[in-house]
Amino acid sequence: FLLIDDKYGLPIFNDNGIGLKNTNQPIWSTNVSSVQFRVDLGSFVTGIAIGEFLNENQGYFLNDNKLTWAIYGGMPYSSVTSYMGGFQKGINWFNQNIVPLKQGYKPIEQVFINYELNGNFSNGFGSNDGDGLINHFLDKKVDVIIPIAGTQVGSAARLVKQRNARTVVIGVDSPCELDTTININLPTPINSNSSDPLLNKVIQFSSIKNINVATN
């Protein structure tokens, strides 16, 4: 089977030979099934976890007396934008409902590149397509970066290490934190005495899709 994004979600119709489209029968009909994941639900919960994680480790992340996060996508597909919306709502919920109850907790502020769009896209899913955005966020000393752009999760981890940044990365789609080929040690440990093997890694945790369940 072929697993593709919703860029290809609309049917492509055969040409009837005179330059008109036959709107009765798409090229794919009975052989294609579409699955839309409610990634906004998973990323909502992950957004709350991000707020808790940053506040539990304020001593490592706190810059200019604030905690920050940034997110960007590869392309503005619904599978990407729903992820983005879920993260934003989860962190906003944390700010509104958890921060007032916890002494010393701080709200998590979002860092934007384009305020008009309220979001950012690298316009590609290639491994280096997001380097410009990632470097921009690192210039702003953002505490958490969420790349919803395939292999750019690994690129973000690499740039954090290269720039010796106090920034962590959150994965999407699959448990990126368990991939030892991309999840490398932070340049400066959050807590060198911790028994948690992931605490001092660049990729902390992920918002995942259970693709195996959908395709069974």
Side-chain angles (χ1 to χ4, degrees), residues 33-124:
S33 178
S34 174
V35 175
Q36 181 70 45
F37 290 90
R38 284 301 305 270
V39 293
D40 56 319
L41 299 181
S43 59
F44 175 85
V45 175
T46 310
I48 297 172
I50 289 170
E52 185 67 29
F53 174 79
L54 289 181
N55 272 284
E56 287 181 358
N57 297 283
Q58 285 187 23
Y60 182 84
F61 292 108
L62 211 53
N63 291 304
D64 301 327
N65 204 36
K66 61 183 180 181
L67 299 171
T68 58
W69 72 289
I71 192 169
Y72 76 90
M75 297 286 281
Y77 303 150
S78 64
S79 53
V80 174
T81 56
S82 59
Y83 248 137
M84 298 174 80
F87 276 112
Q88 190 172 51
K89 289 178 181 177
I91 292 178
N92 288 344
W93 190 93
F94 176 87
N95 289 340
Q96 294 166 11
N97 295 279
I98 303 298
V99 171
L101 302 178
K102 294 273 195 172
Q103 185 175 1
Y105 270 34
K106 297 182 179 298
I108 317 303
E109 300 179 23
Q110 187 170 1
V111 173
F112 295 104
I113 291 177
N114 189 320
Y115 286 90
E116 288 72 29
L117 292 178
N118 223 32
N120 314 277
F121 298 95
S122 62
N123 297 316

Side-chain angles (χ1 to χ4, degrees), residues 13 24 35 76-77 98 123 134 138 141 147-148 150 157 161 165 167 195:
F13 295 96
N24 295 320
V35 175
Y77 303 150
I98 303 298
N123 297 316
I134 296 166
L138 293 177
K141 302 185 184 303
I148 307 177
K161 185 77 169 182
T167 302
S195 59

Side-chain angles (χ1 to χ4, degrees), residues 133-146:
L133 291 178
I134 296 166
N135 278 313
H136 177 90
F137 291 134
L138 293 177
D139 287 343
K140 291 181 174 290
K141 302 185 184 303
V142 71
D143 299 313
V144 172
I145 297 177
I146 309 167

Side-chain angles (χ1 to χ4, degrees), residues 1-11 28-37 78-79 214-215:
F1 73 95
L2 179 63
L3 184 65
I4 52 181
D5 217 316
D6 62 358
K7 175 182 178 182
Y8 303 95
L10 298 176
W28 58 62
S29 55
T30 59
N31 295 326
V32 171
S33 178
S34 174
V35 175
Q36 181 70 45
F37 290 90
S78 64
S79 53
T215 55

